[in-house]
Amino acid sequence: MVKDEPRRSPYEVLGIAVDADARAIKKAYFERIRQNPPETHPEVFKQLREAYELLSDPEARQAYDASAAAQAEGGTSEEDARLKEAVDLFDAGDTAGGRSVLNRMLLEQPDFHQARLLLGRSFLWEEAPEAALTEFDEVLKRAPEDWRGHLHRGWALNRLTRLKEAADAYWRAGKYGPAEVGPRVSLADCLVEMGQVDDALKVLLEAQALPGIPRTEVLWFKMRRIAMLLEHDREREATRGLDELDAEVPASADPELRRWMAAQVSAAAAHLFAQRKSQAANRLLEYGRRFHPDDAPAAELSFPNGVHVDISALPEAGRQWVHAGAEDSEGWRSQWSWAMPAAVTFALALATFFFLAYCAFGTGERSFYNWSGCVVMAAALCAATAYAARRFLTVMTQPYGRFTLLHPLHLVEVMGDHVIVWPLVHLEDVQLVNQHSHVSYTHTLIEMRFNGRQVVTFGHSERAAKDFVAQLVAQRRRVLELLSQGLLSAEEGMAQLPAELLARGASSGTVHGPPHRLPHATHPLVAAGLGVLLVVAAVIPHRSATDAQAWQHAAVQTSGLGPLLTFLRARPDSHFSVQAQARVDAELARVRARLESRLDPGSAAARSVPFFTGLLNDVSRTHSRRVVVEWAEPASEKGQGQAQEDLSILLVSAWQRLLDEALGRDVLVVDAGRNSQEGPPVLTLQVGEALRPSTGSGPVRHRVWQVRAKGPGGEDIVAPLELTADAADPKVPESLFHAWVDQWHLPGAGDRRPLLLTASTLVRSATP
């Protein structure tokens, strides 16, 4: 632009009328930036943006209109020229020059309120509210009912946090400007700062009924009220307001009106994002999508937080942007980026291999629940190994490591094969933490929080970290500004991370690209199924290994029949059972031979050979060598066990000696019914004692033993015995047992040596 070229008004730049409303201003701006994008028309775009910023700011537009009106009325007056000169100086950034012009005018014309208001606003722009308040008070001193003076005074008091006085000033501005919108908006905002939300909502509701207010202003007030409800978590009322607004601007309404309405929704959402109400802001943006006409792209969609996007899912522009970022920051894949996934994969594969080997060749006994646990563990290990292998193969297919990029709208963490997108609108806090090692500075951690979720990156130097944070904060401020103006579609970089792409991950948090061509076996579900099949297949080798180990343990034992019989009872279907049975039969054959050699055919005990032979046959058939002695004392003597000997123990010991004498040691085992490790009894000796009165005269009674011998099936294998002895005989148990031995022709029959070994007859120990 030539220096002497006359400056065009913002209305001329945008091609709109001087009385155009906010909707018309935004519409014109949109149309012209589409015709003059910044990439091809940077100078024109700069003029358009300056014009839009001036006219979209109510204060700046009011000052410009006042200056232009004064110039139009006077035309050639010196005051109008000087007022325009001050405005031009302010626009050019020469604040001191503009104030000097205004001060000279006020010295000459103290009641020129327009100049004094402009001077006060210049102090507000420079963050000097005390000086501004002095000028606004001077205006009201000279014109107490000037609504603009009260409004400006409220702005200054608000900056000074004198909220109660500011609210009073806004109220007076509305009183003296009954048809003006500005005082109502400022009053509502001030009441919110004071915590009087209900009063602020009431002010916005009343403002919709101002006389002569255009429809767009009514809709703006409604949108502002809905945003305030959402900001203060009044969801139900906000939903009702959104439904009413949707009915008022239906799909059949003017497309330009709907586009303008969408811009207002974006502005309200930007305000909510600034107040850290991200969920409510996203909801508002989702609602605003319905106002976009079908022929216009939806620029402001919701901003899902922390979406994981596969690099293969990015558009071509996005992949090129990531590649360029990797070149700038040297973010290529390092040895550490693939070494760790490789180590994890190898460790999991090794653990899976050893676990499956344990399932197949472990020798411990396993129940159904043990095998179920093995199935679950194998499926988990195989799935984890497959997932780690896929991660490793995926990392090897991408050239990138881990680094951070700053997009115009997002902070982007590149994680090898995918990126994590953190919208800047969700940024809540940033902290810098310097790290030291041995007192020496190493780097600076940059801790950020996006809608409650922490993100950490680092800077190689403190200066670099501060520069990054400054750029991050400035970029967020710009995003909120563009969102509030509905201009995000004009921002560069939209094609790199399209809003529609991120919206796909709003619910799941992930956007997957085309599937990688990896082996099917590396799919976790397939690997888990394979692990289940391998455990099922391991049942047979595990059973064989367990059988072999159990047989080896039984075969090396030299303690008689016990281990072999235990093996046959526990594993009757084992392929070693034939060998075990053969060894048992061989051992029993030796026992039979020993029995015949020990019992002289001419002795009294020779007739017991069939009895013992039958026992040995039952041992071979049932694989049990257990003999149980069940003793039942008389009912009249129960509870006197401390005074009498425990005959059940004596009977067990006596029978064990008899069997050892006849068959050899450790062939049969006798117990009182409390040992279940040897299996079911092959012989049960039931001995019941009773007291009977004597058949003659006198108090003499008899002690009677009733003896029954039952086989493995519960049948009597010997005829029941009833043995009687004089109860007064102190050796009555010994006498009864001798009678039992004599009648069954057991070893010791006909011999008067002590057999039961009671205390009254124990003179010497009977040895086989």
Side-chain angles (χ1 to χ4, degrees):
M1 181 182 295
V2 181
K3 184 176 181 180
D4 295 333
E5 180 182 349
R7 180 174 178 176
R8 299 170 64 195
S9 74
Y11 297 102
E12 293 175 352
V13 172
L14 295 177
I16 57 176
V18 177
D19 59 350
D21 59 10
R23 171 189 169 193
I25 295 172
K26 186 164 291 188
K27 174 185 175 182
Y29 178 67
F30 272 120
E31 291 177 349
R32 278 160 177 74
I33 62 173
R34 292 192 187 99
Q35 299 170 3
N36 303 276
E39 295 85 0
T40 57
H41 302 78
E43 289 297 327
V44 177
F45 180 81
K46 180 180 179 182
Q47 294 179 26
L48 290 171
R49 182 157 185 84
E50 290 177 352
Y52 177 76
E53 290 179 350
L54 175 62
L55 297 183
S56 61
D57 184 350
E59 299 179 29
R61 182 181 181 184
Q62 183 182 10
Y64 180 84
D65 289 344
S67 174
Q71 182 178 5
E73 291 174 3
T76 59
S77 66
E78 182 182 354
E79 291 79 4
D80 298 336
R82 294 169 66 186
L83 189 61
K84 181 179 181 302
E85 179 185 0
V87 172
D88 291 341
L89 289 171
F90 285 136
D91 290 343
D94 188 0
T95 305
R99 287 177 185 169
S100 177
V101 172
L102 293 175
N103 283 325
R104 288 197 301 270
M105 293 178 65
L106 291 172
L107 286 175
E108 299 170 3
Q109 297 181 358
D111 293 331
F112 195 180
H113 305 318
Q114 187 174 340
R116 195 174 296 279
L117 290 176
L118 184 58
L119 178 61
R121 282 199 299 272
S122 71
F123 287 116
L124 286 180
W125 297 335
E126 295 295 321
E127 298 297 331
E130 297 89 348
L133 183 61
T134 301
E135 300 298 333
F136 300 146
D137 285 341
E138 185 65 24
V139 171
L140 293 176
K141 180 180 178 181
R142 298 174 181 274
E145 297 184 0
D146 188 330
W147 72 270
R148 293 183 182 85
H150 286 287
L151 178 62
H152 285 70
R153 184 174 187 272
W155 289 340
L157 291 169
N158 212 329
R159 297 281 184 87
L160 293 170
T161 65
R162 293 159 61 178
L163 300 181
K164 187 174 181 180
E165 296 176 69
D168 180 71
Y170 294 141
W171 178 83
R172 292 180 183 276
K175 174 183 177 182
Y176 297 124
E180 300 299 329
V181 172
R184 274 74 182 179
V185 176
S186 298
L187 177 58
D189 291 339
C190 183
L191 290 173
V192 169
E193 290 187 61
M194 296 172 65
Q196 301 177 18
V197 179
D198 290 332
D199 292 336
L201 293 171
K202 183 178 179 181
V203 169
L204 293 177
L205 190 62
E206 292 174 350
Q208 300 174 27
L210 290 176
I213 185 172
R215 183 186 181 190
T216 53
E217 296 291 347
V218 174
L219 294 176
W220 185 90
F221 274 118
K222 289 184 177 182
M223 191 68 254
R224 181 70 180 88
R225 188 171 185 274
I226 291 170
M228 188 175 294
L229 289 169
L230 289 172
E231 181 180 349
H232 293 87
D233 302 321
R234 298 167 72 160
E235 295 284 338
R236 183 174 300 179
E237 296 177 70
T239 301
R240 187 165 56 249
L242 288 172
D243 293 339
E244 294 174 357
L245 195 61
D246 189 34
E248 190 168 349
V249 188
S252 58
D254 179 12
E256 292 300 329
L257 176 62
R258 292 177 63 80
R259 181 182 285 110
W260 178 86
M261 195 67 229
Q264 301 310 309
V265 172
S266 298
H271 175 75
L272 290 174
F273 278 125
Q275 299 301 318
R276 300 181 181 178
K277 298 288 183 178
S278 297
Q279 184 176 358
N282 271 333
R283 180 184 172 191
L284 205 56
L285 287 176
E286 287 289 346
Y287 170 80
R289 293 180 60 184
R290 70 184 69 183
F291 291 115
H292 288 282
D294 295 336
D295 60 345
E300 289 83 21
L301 300 177
S302 61
F303 290 88
N305 196 36
V307 175
H308 293 237
V309 183
D310 290 346
I311 290 182
S312 59
L314 294 175
E316 182 62 26
R319 292 195 293 271
Q320 292 178 358
W321 175 69
V322 172
H323 192 82
E327 291 181 342
D328 294 339
S329 60
E330 297 183 357
W332 306 111
R333 184 183 66 214
S334 63
Q335 182 178 1
W336 177 254
S337 64
W338 65 263
M340 180 58 69
V344 171
T345 303
F346 177 76
L348 286 172
L350 200 61
T352 303
F353 172 78
F354 281 114
F355 181 76
L356 292 175
Y358 162 76
C359 291
F361 305 109
T363 57
E365 293 289 344
R366 296 194 186 122
S367 64
F368 172 78
Y369 297 104
N370 296 138
W371 280 111
S372 299
C374 289
V375 167
V376 173
M377 190 66 181
L381 281 174
C382 288
T385 303
Y387 179 79
R390 289 179 71 88
R391 290 294 307 157
F392 170 68
L393 294 175
T394 302
V395 167
M396 295 303 293
T397 60
Q398 293 291 343
Y400 309 119
R402 294 191 175 190
F403 58 98
T404 303
L405 295 175
L406 187 58
H407 183 267
L409 304 182
H410 313 281
L411 178 75
V412 179
E413 289 185 290
V414 181
M415 311 294 287
D417 64 322
H418 69 281
V419 298
I420 307 177
V421 182
W422 304 96
L424 296 179
V425 293
H426 293 305
L427 181 63
E428 296 175 346
D429 186 36
V430 182
Q431 297 289 337
L432 296 179
V433 181
N434 291 332
Q435 300 294 305
H436 299 80
S437 177
H438 303 292
V439 191
S440 299
Y441 171 84
T442 56
H443 61 281
T444 299
L445 287 181
I446 306 173
E447 299 178 352
M448 299 161 283
R449 192 169 68 250
F450 289 83
N451 195 18
R453 298 173 63 180
Q454 190 174 41
V455 179
V456 180
T457 185
F458 69 93
H460 293 288
S461 66
E462 187 174 2
R463 181 62 183 173
K466 289 182 178 179
D467 291 343
F468 176 82
V469 170
Q471 184 182 4
L472 182 73
V473 173
Q475 194 63 36
R476 178 182 185 269
R477 188 182 301 114
R478 175 175 172 78
V479 171
L480 291 178
E481 177 186 355
L482 293 175
L483 181 62
S484 67
Q485 298 173 358
L487 301 178
L488 279 183
S489 59
E491 182 71 349
E492 296 181 10
M494 290 294 294
Q496 298 165 355
L497 292 171
E500 294 83 357
L501 176 67
L502 299 180
R504 285 164 46 191
S507 57
S508 64
T510 304
V511 179
H512 294 293
H516 297 287
R517 295 182 179 178
L518 297 175
H520 291 294
T522 61
H523 194 284
L525 292 179
V526 175
L530 181 61
V532 172
L533 293 177
L534 289 175
V535 172
V536 172
V539 172
I540 295 177
H542 171 266
R543 183 175 179 181
S544 299
T546 305
D547 281 350
Q549 195 269 347
W551 168 243
Q552 183 180 7
H553 176 76
V556 299
Q557 298 293 325
T558 59
S559 57
L561 292 170
L564 294 173
L565 295 176
T566 300
F567 176 83
L568 287 170
R569 285 196 308 272
R571 303 175 181 277
D573 299 327
S574 171
H575 62 277
F576 294 105
S577 60
V578 176
Q579 301 178 45
Q581 186 67 48
R583 289 189 57 175
V584 168
D585 292 341
E587 181 65 24
L588 291 177
R590 287 192 292 270
V591 172
R592 290 188 187 95
R594 189 164 53 244
L595 172 67
E596 294 176 356
S597 66
R598 288 188 175 189
L599 299 181
D600 187 2
S603 66
R607 297 171 59 183
S608 64
V609 172
F611 171 76
F612 288 114
T613 301
L615 276 181
L616 296 178
N617 292 337
D618 288 339
V619 170
S620 176
R621 179 173 54 85
T622 63
H623 304 146
S624 174
R625 60 173 185 162
R626 182 183 177 205
V627 176
V628 173
V629 177
E630 296 180 353
W631 166 258
E633 62 180 335
S636 60
E637 295 185 1
K638 289 184 178 180
Q640 303 179 13
Q642 294 180 354
Q644 298 185 11
E645 296 179 82
D646 191 346
L647 290 181
S648 64
I649 298 177
L650 295 176
L651 285 171
V652 167
S653 299
W655 265 99
Q656 188 67 66
R657 288 193 298 274
L658 288 175
L659 295 176
D660 290 347
E661 183 178 350
L663 305 176
R665 296 182 62 85
D666 204 30
V667 176
L668 297 180
V669 177
V670 186
D671 64 70
R674 294 182 292 271
N675 182 13
S676 59
Q677 296 181 353
E678 293 290 343
V682 70
L683 173 65
T684 302
L685 300 174
Q686 297 177 343
V687 183
E689 186 180 63
L691 298 176
R692 293 180 183 175
S694 175
T695 56
S697 59
V700 179
R701 297 184 300 172
H702 290 159
R703 190 176 293 272
V704 180
W705 280 10
Q706 295 174 341
V707 180
R708 302 186 69 175
K710 294 184 176 295
E715 73 283 0
D716 289 330
I717 60 174
V718 179
L721 291 179
E722 184 170 296
L723 308 171
T724 305
D726 188 356
D729 186 358
K731 301 180 180 180
V732 62
E734 182 72 26
S735 301
L736 290 172
F737 190 70
H738 265 285
W740 184 2
V741 169
D742 290 341
Q743 292 196 33
W744 278 13
H745 307 287
L746 300 174
D751 191 353
R752 295 299 93 191
R753 62 177 176 170
L755 297 178
L756 193 60
L757 303 181
T758 59
S760 59
T761 60
L762 186 57
V763 177
R764 62 182 177 85
S765 298
T767 57

